[in-house]
Amino acid sequence: MVIGNYFIALLGFFVCVANAQAAATDQPQVTFGGFGSLGVSHCTMGSGDYVVDGGIPKGPGLSDNLSTVNDSRIAGHMAAQMSPAVSVVMQIDAEYHSGNSYEPEVEFANVKYVLTPDVYTRVGRIALPTFLESENRDVGYTYAWIHPPVEVYRQEQITHNDGVDVNYRLQTGAVGHSIKAIYGRTTIATNDPPALTTLSSKHLWGIFDTAEFGPTTIHAGYQERDTNSGYILTGLAGTWVKESDLSFGAQYDPGDWFAISEWIQRKSTYKNNAMYVSAGYRVKKFTPYLTYALSSQGSFLSGFPPPSPDGIRLANRAQSTASLGVRWDFRRDTDLKIQLDQVKLSDNSNGFLANVPANVSLYGSKFYVVSAVVDFIF
Amino acid sequence: MVNLKLPEIIRNYLALPLLLAMVATGAHAEVVVIVSANNHVTSLTAEQTARIFLGKTTSFPDGGQALPIDQIEGNAIRDEFYTKVVHKSATQLSAYWAKVIFTGDGRPPVELESNVAVRRAVAKDRNTIGYIDKRYANRSVRVILEP
């Protein structure tokens, strides 16, 4: 409800100012665009659903033989330049989520104010820059994979923050830094507990640096917030847990090929790590790639009540995935990708599978996922 | 009324056989990066030029404002520039700008339709930077990079 009001208010502001500006200058100041993906996947695991996001309630595997939920979405993007210093962007995404529907949601909507050529600040709903591909994770056209590696990108379910950020661009010799500080709050719906649960976070803050020199990009970030996840993790209602992410990433992309690796350490009532390495080679319109991703078993931290059964299950999601895929840029602004994943669950883990029936243990299982997607921008 | 000044006539007549020779031998278009003759910048590296055209900086190394002017898709010189200077194919460039636009981080440079249009726009504004086929360079602009 709050989001709805916020959305309407911002949209009204956006349209009024854009119209006034267009009338004043007689130049179109508003740009529209969008992107989408149409994906389908099959999973050989018959006792659980393979879902790439905790917000997705069901997927290929136990629930569906073939499923479109993991990699299908369409999004509209509007940007308005009101003055050299002030601009507004809004992005609305329709993808399968916790409400068992493709109902559109505001992914981000914010007002940007440029203070100096190297400093700007934004207020509103802002994408969270946890990983190298976090802010564009929904835009499949911008990367080689079908979707970012699940073991790492599923560690942080929060994708946007309602608040403020400050961005500072700094050039030191050949190295260009883009430094970002954020503050705010957010609410998400998740099926991870596994019942549908709304998780609220407050006092969310973080600092991130993306450094580029030549074809090399290094990303580092730290963020933390207070989240009302105590009930899920310990069974004690009303308990706020300080959750934090420390993340590093490195990418090398000289043009003909690329290599990328990211790592995250996540802490709540338990601590765990995840990482992936991926590399691809560009041959004309084809980009074959390989990825290996790994998430560790969580170790419980002292100072918290004993974990609940859900807490134990969430901490024990260790798994690894080896992926082989290819991207084909078969026409302008459109690609087709095919990917095969071999997923191995660790000895005491059902991994990130959803809807595994109670009392079913898939510990140590191995299964395959095959996915195809067409990504486009417009 | 035609009122050509003498040096201009000489330039035009000298250029004609040169152009014909280039067409006859199928000479490949050579891209050069230009700024206004009024700009103090005398040279840039490919890396510095790429940063400006990718929107990663809005200033020249000396601190002056840098406003890139692109050529429209389909112009051969555009592919030449992005391959030689930015090291990105048309597809990679498209994916790059999709990332920048859809994260709200910026917009691609303005595009003009020809070498002449870019040269004129760059000559007029000392804050701009463009690239053209070397054959279209004249005294109104300064070549700062020949990749």
Side-chain angles (χ1 to χ4, degrees), chain A residues 96-113:
Chain A
Y96 203 77
H97 56 71
S98 54
N100 270 311
S101 77
Y102 285 91
E103 188 185 335
E105 292 177 317
V106 179
E107 184 59 28
F108 60 81
N110 56 69
V111 180
K112 176 177 174 178
Y113 185 72

Side-chain angles (χ1 to χ4, degrees), chain A residues 111-115 119-123 164-167:
Chain A
V111 180
K112 176 177 174 178
Y113 185 72
V114 178
L115 296 157
V119 181
Y120 67 85
T121 179
R122 295 182 292 185
V123 179
V164 60
D165 77 352
V166 178
N167 297 265

Side-chain angles (χ1 to χ4, degrees), chain B residues 38-134:
Chain B
N38 299 322
N39 192 317
H40 298 303
V41 174
T42 53
S43 77
L44 280 189
T45 64
E47 167 84 26
Q48 289 166 329
T49 306
R51 288 181 58 79
I52 294 171
F53 274 86
L54 294 176
K56 291 176 178 176
T57 181
T58 53
S59 48
F60 288 109
D62 71 356
Q65 195 194 352
L67 200 66
I69 297 181
D70 217 335
Q71 297 216 19
I72 54 171
E73 275 183 54
N75 286 8
I77 205 74
R78 178 180 161 118
D79 294 339
E80 175 98 354
F81 172 76
Y82 280 103
T83 307
K84 273 191 176 172
V85 178
V86 186
H87 305 300
K88 283 192 192 297
S89 68
T91 302
Q92 287 169 269
L93 192 68
S94 168
Y96 171 80
W97 282 113
K99 181 170 177 171
V100 173
I101 292 167
F102 295 131
T103 54
D105 251 4
R107 307 287 310 172
V110 292
E111 294 175 355
L112 295 179
E113 73 282 3
S114 68
N115 289 300
V116 173
V118 170
R119 186 190 65 208
R120 284 186 182 150
V122 168
K124 250 191 268 176
D125 185 346
R126 60 187 288 180
N127 292 325
T128 58
I129 173 170
Y131 60 86
I132 55 173
D133 184 331
K134 189 178 182 178

Side-chain angles (χ1 to χ4, degrees), chain A residues 262-281:
Chain A
E262 294 193 85
W263 174 90
I264 181 170
Q265 180 173 81
R266 182 165 163 71
K267 284 183 188 170
S268 55
T269 57
Y270 60 90
K271 177 175 87 172
N272 70 318
N273 306 318
M275 62 78 69
Y276 73 84
V277 288
S278 181
Y281 190 73

Side-chain angles (χ1 to χ4, degrees), chain A residues 101-329:
Chain A
S101 77
Y102 285 91
E103 188 185 335
E105 292 177 317
V106 179
E107 184 59 28
F108 60 81
N110 56 69
V111 180
K112 176 177 174 178
Y113 185 72
V114 178
L115 296 157
T116 77
D118 295 320
V119 181
Y120 67 85
T121 179
R122 295 182 292 185
V123 179
R125 176 165 292 180
I126 301 160
L128 209 57
T130 310
F131 301 112
L132 278 163
E133 310 286 1
S134 277
E135 292 163 277
N136 55 303
R137 66 196 292 166
D138 288 342
V139 196
Y141 184 76
T142 60
Y143 44 77
W145 318 300
I146 289 260
H147 43 247
V150 167
E151 281 79 357
V152 172
Y153 279 65
R154 272 203 62 170
Q155 297 293 333
E156 183 45 82
Q157 259 201 82
I158 297 178
T159 58
H160 53 231
N161 170 40
D162 292 336
V164 60
D165 77 352
V166 178
N167 297 265
Y168 176 46
R169 201 151 56 179
L170 172 72
Q171 185 76 29
T172 52
V175 185
H177 290 273
S178 175
I179 299 161
K180 205 181 278 277
I182 61 165
Y183 183 80
R185 58 192 306 146
T186 195
T187 300
I188 57 163
T190 175
N191 294 284
D192 270 350
L196 177 62
T197 306
T198 301
L199 279 184
S200 296
S201 296
K202 58 184 183 182
H203 308 133
L204 188 158
W205 69 269
I207 186 147
F208 307 86
D209 181 20
T210 305
E212 291 180 83
F213 41 106
T216 306
T217 306
I218 305 286
H219 179 78
Y222 177 79
Q223 58 185 302
E224 64 172 54
R225 72 268 176 163
D226 296 321
T227 300
N228 64 345
S229 54
Y231 179 68
I232 299 165
L233 297 172
T234 66
L236 297 177
T239 315
W240 291 76
V241 175
K242 187 173 288 300
E243 300 192 343
S244 69
D245 296 333
L246 178 65
S247 48
F248 289 103
Q251 183 175 28
Y252 186 75
D253 189 341
D256 291 341
W257 60 283
F258 70 87
I260 181 169
S261 182
E262 294 193 85
W263 174 90
I264 181 170
Q265 180 173 81
R266 182 165 163 71
K267 284 183 188 170
S268 55
T269 57
Y270 60 90
K271 177 175 87 172
N272 70 318
N273 306 318
M275 62 78 69
Y276 73 84
V277 288
S278 181
Y281 190 73
R282 300 187 181 99
V283 197
K284 294 189 175 165
K285 293 184 180 304
F286 293 91
T287 309
Y289 58 89
L290 284 168
T291 306
Y292 181 73
L294 188 68
S295 63
S296 75
Q297 185 186 342
S299 55
F300 286 96
L301 301 169
S302 59
F304 292 100
S308 65
D310 277 338
I312 292 171
R313 196 182 50 78
L314 289 170
N316 293 346
R317 293 193 289 182
Q319 68 174 44
S320 65
T321 302
S323 306
L324 168 68
V326 65
R327 168 180 169 141
W328 176 28
D329 287 281

